[in-house]
Structures are given as structure tokens and as C-alpha cells.
Amino acid sequence: MTIRAPEAVEVTTDKIDNLQPYELTDHLERGRVLMFPTPPLELPCDEDLHFLKQQTPEYHTRKNISYYPGGGLIRGIKAPPEIEQRTQAILKDYQQKVEACLHNLIPSFTPGWRSATSSLRVFEENNRGIPIRERSDLIHLDAGTYGAARGDLILRFLTNLDDEERVWRCKGTVFDVVETFAEAAGLERSDALLRDSVLNRVGSGMVRGLSKMVPTTAMLETSAYDQAMRHLHNYMKESDEFQQDQEGIVEIRFPPKSCWLVFADMAGHSCLSGEFAMINTFMVPRSNFRHKEFSPWEVLSRYAAGQSALPPDIPLGT
Ligand SMILES: [Fe+2]
């Protein structure tokens, strides 16, 4: 099996003014990265950017500082109230702007979607000295970050707020990765792969009850689908062979003040360098796909049924 590099598609301001229906979503469904050389929305003002860059680093308690719109909470920061409140206000405002922008750019993906997090990263991504499964500089598919996705997709809108390029190293889409590495990653080739265990179902019920009082505990929920995606994620990060083999590797450079959009559970990616960025995440129901054959759920279903995980060849625009 050939591992291909995820394609990057440039979306200029001209193109945005003349979009065909499904033009952008068709690319995203195929695991491509949409690059916006000019931001398709208003970025936080210079004063706010200066504040975030100067005031927040010493108060980080996690990899990201994240605002959760669902619970109206901020996590990953322990700072004096005025700093926490201003950080939260900036992250909240930007999430709302991204949401409005995506309603305009990719309307068919938004029904029933969930605004998950508005996150800030202020540290250099390279060699951050964190555990291997949490490292962003090893190529991976995102999995299990938001509790049980159950086949819904992780859509990320990223903004490079730095004065330097942000560099991604990408390799493979979920199609190639499942087709080639699912067995090595320990994924069972049977219908049990996507069937929730009794433990999952009981656990989910308990977590859902608890998350009504403590919204962040929703992250503890899991499902057979999420466990399968987590196995792939861990295999990719922990396999030297996967990380070192150059087949299908491509470097994508995102200039300062540019934005990009991708299903982080469909395009294999890592961040080699870059310091100051915002990451806005939305959970998109897989039923919003125009061609469901491309969704990771369907990819895993085909694999579980002993078929090729690869999707059918559907021409763009049809
Ligand atoms: Fe990621």
C-alpha cells in the first residue's frame, strides 16, 4: 500500500468570493488541508495578541489554555482573576468569530455540530519534553480528545499568530493509515471493532450524568470507535518505522497570520515548529458528510468487515 501525503489546497480571498456549493467540504472529506493565506475573518487585535503573548505563558498549567463554550469554562491557566478573565474573553470572542466564518464557508457541515474548544498555544512545539502520546511533533491522527466522538469528526481551524512560519509535517490520510497499519496497531478485523462493550455503555451513562454537573468530565466518556482511533493515534506516535519512513511525507509551511482548516482525525499531521497559535475545534456529525464513505467510521467499518479500507473513487464536485 502506498502512503500518500495529505494534499494542501490554497483558498485565496478571490476563491472565497466565488465558491461552488460543497467546494471546500469536498476537499475536507478527502482529508485535505485548506490553507487561507489571508485570514477569512478578523483576528484578535494587536493589543490582545500582545497581552496573550506577554501575560499568559507563566500561568500555563497544561499544554493548551482552552476555553470550553459548552460549560463557559477556561482550563489550563492559573492566574490572577483579571488575567484569566481577559484571556477567557479573547478566546470566547475568537471562537464566536470562527464559528460565524465557518457557517459561511462550509454551511453543510454545521447542522448539529458542537463548538468544542478555543485553545491557545504559546510555547515552541518542538522538543517540549512531554510524554510521547501527548507530543504534537510526532505524526498522528487526533483521537479521544473530546470524550466519546462515536464517529463524529474533529474539525480544527488554526491561526498562526506568530511572526514566524508554523511548520507541519504530514503523512497519510485515515484511509491509507487504516489500510496499511490498522493490523499492526492491534485493531480487530471483526464487527466487534465498532461495537460498544457493556463497560463502555455503563461508563458512558455514568459520565453523562456526572458531566451535567461538571462539564469537563465529559472527556472521560469513550466508545469502541474512540478506542480504535486512539489505538491508531498511539501506534503512529510510538512506531519509529512509521515516523522515520519518508514515503508520503510532506512539509506544509503556514506563514505568519495565516489560517488553515482540517479534519485532524483524517490527515496525519505533526507540528515541527511554531510558538504562538490559536486552535478552534468543532465536532462535526459524520451524517453531515456528503459522501459518508470518506468518514473514518466508514473506513473502520470496511476494515472490520474484511474489505479494503480505502474509499471509492468519487470525482470532486459530484
Ligand atoms: Fe493533532
Side-chain angles (χ1 to χ4, degrees):
M1 168 66 204
T2 306
I3 303 296
R4 287 158 297 186
E7 291 176 47
V9 177
E10 197 171 80
V11 186
T12 57
T13 310
D14 272 5
K15 205 180 229 182
I16 291 174
D17 292 340
N18 297 289
L19 283 177
Q20 300 297 314
Y22 300 109
E23 187 171 343
L24 300 185
T25 54
D26 277 357
H27 286 305
L28 291 169
E29 286 185 5
R30 286 162 175 79
R32 295 174 185 161
V33 182
L34 298 181
M35 300 170 63
F36 300 88
T38 306
L41 77 179
E42 188 191 341
L43 299 185
C45 67
D46 287 345
E47 252 181 28
D48 284 344
L49 293 180
H50 184 78
F51 163 79
L52 292 176
K53 197 163 185 179
Q54 298 303 317
Q55 300 289 321
T56 62
E58 63 180 299
Y59 300 116
H60 259 252
T61 58
R62 294 185 190 169
K63 182 171 157 183
N64 303 318
I65 295 175
S66 294
Y67 170 71
Y68 295 81
L73 302 165
I74 191 163
R75 289 286 180 266
I77 184 170
K78 195 160 177 52
E82 64 276 14
I83 292 184
E84 262 188 51
Q85 281 159 16
R86 185 167 173 190
T87 305
Q88 175 163 334
I90 298 168
L91 296 184
K92 180 180 177 183
D93 179 64
Y94 197 59
Q95 183 81 352
Q96 286 167 350
K97 285 186 176 139
V98 173
E99 193 169 333
C101 170
L102 296 182
H103 269 294
N104 186 37
L105 290 177
I106 50 168
S108 62
F109 277 170
T110 62
W113 76 346
R114 186 162 57 84
S115 187
T117 47
S118 181
S119 296
L120 171 72
R121 288 199 183 167
V122 290
F123 296 120
E124 173 58 48
E125 292 287 352
N126 198 9
N127 292 323
R128 286 175 52 161
I130 51 182
I132 192 164
R133 291 182 178 179
E134 290 174 35
R135 279 173 56 183
S136 301
D137 60 331
L138 296 169
I139 300 169
H140 63 281
L141 296 170
D142 283 11
T145 321
Y146 295 94
R150 299 184 189 285
D152 290 348
L153 288 105
I154 305 170
L155 182 67
R156 293 199 194 275
F157 181 91
L158 299 101
T159 309
N160 181 7
L161 297 171
D162 211 51
D163 298 329
E164 305 284 333
E165 286 180 325
R166 194 170 183 87
V167 182
W168 268 22
R169 194 159 174 260
C170 295
K171 173 177 171 172
T173 55
V174 67
F175 321 125
D176 305 346
V177 172
V178 172
E179 179 72 358
T180 313
F181 300 106
E183 222 166 296
L187 268 54
E188 196 178 335
R189 205 151 193 159
S190 85
D191 59 5
L193 181 67
L194 294 176
R195 196 194 309 131
D196 282 336
S197 64
V198 173
L199 202 62
N200 277 342
R201 290 198 294 271
V202 172
S204 286
M206 288 166 62
V207 169
R208 257 178 249 147
L210 185 62
S211 68
K212 285 182 185 138
M213 292 174 284
V214 189
T216 47
T217 57
M219 308 292 174
L220 301 174
E221 194 185 353
T222 191
S223 73
Y225 169 84
D226 292 280
Q227 285 163 340
M229 293 298 286
R230 193 69 194 165
H231 278 302
L232 280 177
H233 165 276
N234 294 346
Y235 172 81
M236 292 165 84
K237 283 191 175 174
E238 289 169 358
S239 164
D240 280 344
E241 193 188 331
F242 179 79
Q243 296 294 329
Q244 303 304 332
D245 188 344
Q246 295 298 304
E247 185 187 39
I249 285 201
V250 65
E251 233 176 61
I252 307 178
R253 295 177 168 271
F254 302 103
K257 307 293 183 294
S258 70
C259 303
W260 59 109
L261 182 63
V262 65
F263 279 120
D265 40 10
M266 291 192 72
H269 63 280
S270 64
C271 187
L272 285 192
S273 66
E275 273 192 33
F276 186 33
M278 299 267 271
I279 305 177
N280 295 80
T281 305
F282 302 83
M283 299 303 294
V284 175
R286 71 176 193 275
S287 55
N288 289 1
F289 265 38
R290 183 149 85 121
H291 297 296
K292 299 183 181 40
E293 300 89 330
F294 292 118
S295 73
W297 177 281
E298 295 292 330
V299 173
L300 289 173
S301 299
R302 286 193 293 273
Y303 169 82
Q307 303 161 6
S308 165
L310 302 178
D313 192 11
I314 302 172
L316 264 185
T318 58

